[in-house]
């Protein structure tokens, strides 16, 4: 069972050196325990382009698909047998990156 | 016992174990709940004709199992997927009876999982463990039946999609998770004890009884947990006073005016026994145990004048250290009024930031009345009546206010 752990953020401040170091430790642990699938940080919503090619030609719109104070700044995809394990890992992830995270199961 | 009584009794005693045993076998709360409901519907049809089976629980579990298998077969045919078909054989032996308590416990922990919203946990527990129907739960919580149905359906879908595990938490997680379960049971009890809303009965005995029954169940499963014992004692000592709590006219009767002879002596004895058992354990008590001890002091007094108020205040001090909330401070002040006088209590109450809470204004009103400040008391009663959600409580406050009105202020 895989879960997406999204990292929520509301400013363009980068992770501090301390946060980055804690994230590295957390990632190493995920890999060591067999939970690691993939992870990545994302560019600011300013760097987003929305593409809509449902009509005759592709439309490109500058900016994110939804305007909100908070946005996605990074994510982990983890492997976990159930939600209890996923929530434990997400709690450790939240602590490591010092941000709120959202856990959603893959179908 | 008539057939109807047998069905009612089986529903009360067997619902949770039928649902729990199906949930374990099929890992699907939807299938478990709907098949259990179908099995009871079959019982309503068959038992008056065939007679009550010698072992109603086994009969219901077997019937529900068959219904579940039919349901999964139908669904896998319709969806043209067969991954669930391997579970669909009827010759699998049923769980031995000894494991049943653990299965119900698993069910309760699943329904009270912290990843579900608090009100969803309450609804799901009442449905899956308590066996209340969706319309009954909707009525209890004053929401539309369709909205309550959706809430329960969404919760079951989340449990399945997010894979909320169907198990008792590990020893390391258990204390935190038990406290969540107790909070749900206490919410159910309180909604029964002080029902909110203009159209509900002021006391919902079905809900208080259900909360007590589920807490008793938790206690048989976790007999050494002090807070479980404390919550059970608290509920029993509160429930014991219920017969004296609402007047014939439908007004709430305050503790000091209650006919103590009408209190349920059996429940009080059981509650006191639990409180003594916790005291003897010599372990620092949690919130429910202290609340139970406060109720034990009240229910030990033959008359309100015999109440050991200094002990009540000391217990509220202890509670305040565990739970430093303004509501605890408010309740402490009520006891302080008996010990040190209404002026001391009012000074404490006026420091609290609880303007939106009806009991804050009701307490102020009572203290102001006792201090002879009728005009201020009347304003406070008005505000309390405005905020009171319980019909009997509003009637009581209105009566107290109108008693003021006849005296010159």
């Amino acid at each position: 069972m895989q879960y997406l752990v999204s990292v929520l953020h509301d400013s363009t401040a980068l992770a501090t050196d301390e946060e980055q170091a804690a994230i590295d430790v957390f990632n190493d642990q995920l890999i060591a325990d067999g939970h690691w699938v993939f992870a990545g940080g994302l560019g600011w919503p300013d760097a987003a382009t929305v593409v809509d090619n449902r009509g005759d030609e592709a439309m490109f719109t500058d900016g994110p698909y939804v305007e909100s104070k908070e946005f996605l700044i990074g994510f982990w995809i983890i492997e976990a047998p159930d939600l209890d394990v996923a929530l434990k890992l997400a709690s450790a992830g939240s602590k490591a990156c010092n941000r709120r995270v959202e856990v959603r199961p893959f179908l | 016992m008539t057939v109807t009584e047998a069905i009612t009794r089986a529903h009360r005693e067997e619902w949770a174990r039928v649902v729990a045993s199906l949930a374990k076998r099929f890992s699907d709360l939807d299938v478990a709940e709907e098949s259990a409901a179908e099995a009871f519907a079959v019982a309503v049809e068959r038992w008056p004709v065939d007679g009550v089976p010698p072992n109603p629980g086994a009969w219901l579990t077997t019937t529900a199992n068959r219904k579940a298998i039919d349901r999964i077969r139908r669904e896998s045919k319709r969806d043209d997927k067969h991954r669930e078909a391997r579970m669909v054989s009827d010759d699998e032996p049923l769980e031995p009876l000894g494991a049943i308590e653990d299965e119900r416990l698993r069910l309760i922990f699943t329904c009270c999982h912290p990843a579900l919203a608090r009100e969803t946990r309450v609804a799901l527990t009442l449905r899956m463990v308590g066996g209340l129907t969706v319309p009954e739960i909707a009525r209890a919580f004053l929401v539309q039946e369709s909205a309550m149905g959706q809430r329960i359906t969404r919760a079951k879908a989340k449990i399945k999609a997010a894979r909320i595990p169907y198990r008792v938490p590990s020893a390391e997680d258990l204390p935190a998770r038990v406290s969540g379960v107790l909070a749900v049971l206490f919410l159910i009890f309180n909604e029964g004890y002080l029902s909110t809303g203009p159209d509900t009965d002021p006391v919902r005995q079905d809900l208080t009884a259900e909360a007590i029954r589920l807490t008793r169940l938790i206690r048989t499963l976790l007999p050494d947990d002090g807070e479980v014992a404390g919550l059970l004692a608290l509920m029993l000592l509160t429930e014991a006073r219920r017969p004296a709590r609402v007047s014939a006219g439908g007004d709430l009767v305050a503790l000091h005016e209650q006919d103590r002879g009408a209190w349920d002596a059996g429940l009080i004895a059981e509650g006191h026994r639990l409180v003594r058992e916790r005291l003897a354990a010599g372990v620092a008590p949690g919130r429910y145990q202290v609340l139970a001890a406060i109720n034990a002091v009240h229910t030990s007094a033959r008359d309100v004048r015999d109440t050991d108020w200094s002990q009540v205040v000391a217990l509220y001090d202890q509670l305040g250290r565990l739970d430093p909330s303004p509501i605890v401070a408010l309740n402490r002040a009520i006891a302080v009024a008996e010990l040190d006088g209404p002026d001391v209590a009012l000074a404490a109450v006026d420091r609290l930031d609880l303007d939106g809470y009806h009991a804050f204004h009701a307490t102020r009103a009572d203290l102001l009345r006792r201090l002879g400040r009728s005009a201020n008391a009347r304003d406070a009663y008005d505000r309390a009546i405005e905020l009171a959600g319980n019909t009997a409580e509003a009637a009581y406050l209105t009566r107290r206010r109108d008693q003021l009105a006849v005296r010159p202020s």
Side-chain angles (χ1 to χ4, degrees):
Chain A
M1 181 93 183
Q2 292 184 345
Y3 295 86
L4 173 68
V5 179
S6 308
V7 180
L8 312 177
H9 197 40
D10 60 2
S11 90
T12 51
L14 286 166
T16 64
D17 289 347
E18 266 173 38
E19 286 163 1
Q20 197 50 59
I23 292 167
D24 290 343
V25 170
F26 175 64
N27 286 342
D28 289 345
Q29 195 63 47
L30 283 182
I31 293 166
D33 295 340
H35 296 298
W36 171 273
V37 179
F38 188 76
L42 297 173
W44 315 126
D46 290 354
T49 310
V50 173
V51 181
D52 184 354
N53 196 15
R54 293 172 300 178
D56 293 338
E57 63 180 304
M59 299 271 293
F60 304 106
T61 315
D62 181 29
Y65 80 101
V66 59
E67 292 285 352
S68 71
K69 195 167 159 289
E70 284 186 298
F71 49 84
L72 193 64
I73 197 64
F75 63 89
W76 283 279
I77 297 169
I78 56 169
E79 180 70 47
D82 59 48
L83 188 66
D84 277 355
V85 177
L87 292 180
K88 268 218 171 80
L89 295 170
S91 302
S94 167
K95 181 78 82 190
C97 70
N98 195 28
R99 310 263 189 281
R100 295 200 304 150
V101 303
E102 180 200 75
V103 179
R104 279 172 77 176
F106 280 81
L107 288 175
Chain B
M1 190 166 43
T2 67
V3 174
T4 312
E5 282 165 356
I7 291 170
T8 308
R9 183 171 171 183
H11 192 265
R12 198 170 57 236
E13 290 175 359
E14 309 292 351
W15 170 270
R17 64 178 70 179
V18 174
V19 173
S21 99
L22 264 65
K24 176 159 189 281
R25 180 166 174 198
F26 299 105
S27 310
D28 187 321
L29 292 188
D30 246 333
V31 167
E33 184 213 321
E34 281 161 23
S35 308
E38 279 183 79
F40 279 93
V42 176
V44 169
E45 232 171 76
R46 296 308 317 165
W47 292 7
V49 182
D50 301 346
V52 177
N55 184 343
W59 187 98
L60 287 162
T61 307
T62 307
T63 307
N65 256 286
R66 294 217 182 95
K67 292 288 176 191
I69 288 162
D70 288 348
R71 179 176 293 272
I72 291 167
R73 281 206 183 112
R74 267 200 315 273
E75 281 171 11
S76 30
K77 209 171 277 167
R78 195 180 59 215
D79 300 345
D80 198 27
K81 58 177 187 182
H82 299 284
R83 62 195 163 91
E84 279 166 319
R86 62 193 152 80
M87 290 197 290
V88 180
S89 68
D90 202 6
D91 45 20
E92 205 173 298
L94 293 173
E95 284 293 305
L97 286 172
I100 276 172
E101 297 298 4
D102 292 340
E103 282 176 34
R104 278 194 285 183
L105 195 55
R106 271 200 287 270
L107 187 58
I108 291 176
F109 277 104
T110 306
C111 293
C112 295
H113 196 276
L116 300 170
R118 176 65 63 82
E119 61 267 36
T120 303
R121 290 182 222 168
V122 172
L124 203 58
T125 303
L126 285 173
R127 177 71 198 121
M128 305 302 289
V129 189
L132 268 67
T133 64
V134 172
E136 282 170 336
I137 302 167
R139 261 202 308 282
F141 290 94
L142 300 174
V143 296
Q144 292 289 318
E145 206 176 304
S146 55
M148 185 53 83
Q150 275 169 10
R151 185 184 291 172
I152 292 174
T153 303
R154 263 204 310 274
K156 287 186 294 190
K158 177 169 181 179
I159 289 169
K160 198 174 178 181
R163 204 177 288 186
I164 287 179
Y166 183 60
R167 65 158 177 255
V168 176
S170 62
E172 126 197 45
D173 296 334
L174 197 58
R177 291 287 305 278
V178 169
S179 73
V181 170
L182 298 182
V184 165
L185 297 177
F186 197 33
L187 273 177
I188 294 172
F189 183 85
N190 280 330
E191 183 52 34
Y193 197 67
L194 205 63
S195 308
T196 44
D199 301 324
T200 57
D201 289 334
V203 180
R204 294 282 315 273
Q205 200 202 338
D206 50 345
L207 289 180
T208 56
E210 189 56 35
I212 290 173
R213 195 172 70 88
L214 294 176
T215 308
R216 279 192 198 283
L217 173 63
I218 295 280
R219 177 156 164 80
T220 60
L221 306 165
L222 301 166
D224 299 327
D225 188 300
E227 281 293 86
V228 175
L231 180 61
L232 180 57
L234 171 60
M235 288 180 179
L236 294 173
L237 294 173
T238 311
E239 178 75 358
R241 303 200 299 264
R242 187 174 49 76
R245 210 167 137 265
V246 178
S247 73
D251 289 13
L252 202 72
V253 183
L255 181 63
H256 66 274
E257 293 175 330
Q258 288 178 10
D259 169 14
R260 297 186 175 217
W263 288 356
D264 187 320
L267 292 180
I268 289 177
E270 189 185 356
H272 285 183
R273 205 158 50 237
L274 284 165
V275 170
R276 280 197 303 274
E277 180 188 311
R278 290 314 310 159
L279 284 173
V283 183
R287 177 169 169 256
Y288 297 121
Q289 289 166 80
V290 177
L291 282 168
I294 290 168
N295 278 275
V297 175
H298 284 303
T299 46
S300 297
R302 241 179 253 109
D303 185 280
V304 68
R305 286 184 297 270
D306 298 337
T307 306
D308 185 347
W309 290 108
S310 61
Q311 201 181 351
V312 173
V313 172
L315 285 165
Y316 273 116
D317 287 337
Q318 194 176 359
L319 185 61
R321 285 191 290 275
L322 294 166
D323 174 16
S325 78
I327 291 178
V328 171
L330 178 70
N331 287 316
R332 181 185 184 277
I334 293 170
V336 165
E338 303 302 324
L339 202 61
D340 300 326
D343 48 340
V344 179
L346 185 64
V349 168
D350 280 339
R351 280 198 297 271
L352 302 172
D353 181 17
L354 283 172
D355 190 49
Y357 183 48
H358 70 92
F360 169 73
H361 298 284
T363 304
R364 282 196 77 238
D366 187 55
L367 295 171
L368 288 163
R369 178 188 59 78
R370 286 156 73 175
L371 290 166
R373 293 166 56 185
S374 299
N376 300 120
R378 194 170 302 120
D379 291 344
Y381 276 121
D382 283 340
R383 185 89 176 102
I385 293 162
E386 196 184 314
L387 292 168
N390 182 272
T391 49
E393 193 167 25
Y396 163 76
L397 293 167
T398 306
R399 180 167 63 83
R400 296 309 295 249
R401 184 196 58 192
D402 294 348
Q403 283 170 347
L404 275 180
V406 297
R407 293 186 207 128
S409 52

